[in-house]
Amino acid sequence: MKTATLKALLAARAAKTPAALVTEIDGGAQTLLCDRAPPGEVAIGAALQAEVDAARSADRSGTAEIDGKQYFIQIFNPPRRLILVGAVHIAQSLAPMAALAGYAVTVVDPRGAFATELRFPGVSLSTEWPDDALTALDIDRRTAVVTLTHDPKLDDPALHVALGAYPFYIGALGSRKTHGKRLDRLRAAGFDDATLARIHAPVGLDIGAVSPAEIAISVLAELTRELHGPKTGGKE
Amino acid sequence: MTKTPNIAAPPRIDDPDDILERAAAWRAAGRRVALATVVKTWGSSPRPVGSQLAVDDKGAMLGSVSGGCIEGAVIREAMEAMEDGRARLLEFSVSNEQAWEVGLACGGRVEVFVERVE
């Protein structure tokens, strides 16, 4: 890899903009595809471009063979995002765990006493109301939203915004009974059952989690399953 | 109520930014550097496609391309790539003992692309 290519790649990553690196395996010629990339060494024909586009949208690096030549297409997408609504105890465990798993975490809580740097060192915090905060965060399909406050005043506006967009995961903390009431409120607000079925609730895999850290593990496990799917097709 | 320690999010052990940043920093410091990248896997390989390992000419490394079973051989090849500048594709599998004298304990197969940072 040329140092100029490496530098452009790092700049794209720092700017949180997507990049793709195409390498011809035989010989190691490379073309970087991103803003401000240096001139490439590999010609990107239509067939190769199609492979790059597919890898980009699948968010998955891989090899491609075109006209007998092997290419490696490495996708450098910005980190997936996890938006936690509620700067509560569970969020204090989930934020660092999710960061370890590669998520860029934002904690949203308008209650200034909760969303503090002391409680969430190094975590991006928003003290706007959840609907404003989530709208500003511009949810995409590489984003997950989890509500944790137990307070309809805070959780519901967040769910309104999340259900109006297409995050890959929406989870809401609360018992089945709590969730039943929540569904009633959301139905009254005009959401249909197909839309409401997108909410994972009670949030997390059923692993008997009790402590905040254990609940965080179950949520992170469910996020992971949503991303990749179980290897056994869920039969095991 | 149990107390949750206020710990900052720790750095990711395999953060691709970190690995590439380090590679760039080593280059800027005048060291020779090679990058190894997992490009293909079959079966139960320990690290996914795209995983990277940066190596410098003193053998310092950051990142991983396996659970540790093939890193030694990859580093040797990376050192050679730093010398001759040739990019190379390495293949590791359990059945490939005579070629590399290392195997993947997990029974997987993996292809690793090794290149010099020019």
Side-chain angles (χ1 to χ4, degrees):
Chain A
M1 184 187 292
K2 299 271 195 295
T3 297
T5 304
L6 179 56
K7 280 186 175 160
L9 181 54
L10 287 171
R13 299 282 288 166
K16 296 203 187 311
T17 54
L21 179 66
V22 179
T23 303
E24 194 176 327
I25 298 274
D26 186 19
Q30 287 175 323
T31 292
L32 179 66
L33 301 167
C34 68
D35 296 340
R36 295 192 293 276
E41 300 164 337
V42 180
I44 310 290
L48 189 48
Q49 184 65 54
E51 294 279 355
V52 171
D53 293 343
R56 264 193 171 145
S57 73
D59 201 4
R60 190 157 291 181
S61 302
T63 50
E65 187 177 331
I66 293 159
D67 296 334
K69 283 185 177 168
Q70 288 280 339
Y71 299 93
F72 179 57
I73 301 163
Q74 189 162 16
I75 302 302
F76 295 89
N77 276 332
R80 290 189 185 87
R81 296 184 299 166
L82 172 61
I83 303 172
L84 300 177
V85 179
V88 296
H89 211 161
I90 293 169
Q92 282 180 283
S93 292
L94 185 48
M97 285 184 196
L100 258 182
Y103 291 91
V105 182
T106 301
V107 174
V108 176
D109 200 321
R111 301 167 298 182
F114 285 76
T116 64
E117 169 68 20
L118 188 67
R119 284 162 57 83
F120 293 91
V123 176
S124 168
L125 298 171
S126 168
T127 52
E128 286 184 81
W129 274 87
D131 45 356
D132 293 335
L134 267 63
T135 302
L137 285 165
D138 193 18
I139 294 168
D140 59 17
R141 60 182 182 77
R142 303 184 75 254
T143 306
V145 178
V146 178
T147 63
L148 298 169
T149 70
H150 276 124
D151 183 344
K153 277 202 311 294
L154 299 172
D155 284 353
D156 286 12
L159 291 170
H160 280 228
V161 178
L163 290 170
Y166 293 93
F168 75 88
Y169 178 93
I170 303 172
L173 185 72
S175 66
R176 272 173 219 290
K177 202 170 141 197
T178 305
H179 187 55
K181 288 186 199 156
R182 178 187 293 133
L183 290 179
D184 291 342
R185 289 192 307 272
L186 291 169
R187 265 187 219 107
F191 291 101
D192 61 26
D193 286 349
T195 303
L196 294 178
R198 290 168 52 207
I199 303 174
H200 291 78
V203 72
L205 293 187
D206 183 4
I207 54 171
V210 178
S211 72
E214 289 170 350
I215 294 166
I217 289 168
S218 83
V219 174
L220 198 49
E222 192 168 53
L223 276 174
T224 307
R225 186 175 68 174
E226 196 62 25
L227 271 183
H228 304 302
K231 274 188 179 161
T232 54
K235 287 185 188 111
E236 207 170 69
Chain B
M1 203 183 244
T2 54
K3 189 179 180 303
T4 306
N6 280 327
I7 47 164
R12 292 170 61 195
I13 42 176
D14 58 347
D15 189 329
D17 289 344
D18 248 29
I19 294 163
L20 295 174
E21 292 277 4
R22 186 69 64 89
W26 280 337
R27 270 312 285 148
R31 300 198 217 171
R32 280 192 285 197
V33 181
L35 272 177
T37 307
V38 175
V39 298
K40 214 167 182 181
T41 65
W42 296 260
S44 59
S45 66
R47 300 283 288 122
V49 168
S51 300
Q52 290 189 304
L53 173 72
V55 187
D56 80 353
D57 50 11
K58 295 191 179 75
M61 61 171 186
L62 189 71
S64 71
V65 289
S66 80
C69 33
I70 61 172
E71 265 75 4
V74 171
I75 289 166
R76 277 202 299 280
E77 287 289 327
M79 294 288 195
E80 280 182 32
M82 284 176 216
E83 288 292 328
D84 63 25
R86 279 193 311 109
R88 56 201 78 201
L89 186 68
L90 315 178
E91 188 187 322
F92 299 93
S93 70
V94 157
S95 58
N96 204 3
E97 289 155 20
Q98 69 276 42
W100 295 108
E101 298 173 307
V102 290
L104 288 167
C106 46
R109 201 171 131 213
V110 55
E111 275 181 11
V112 179
F113 180 74
V114 177
E115 62 190 314
R116 181 166 77 178
V117 180
E118 306 287 346

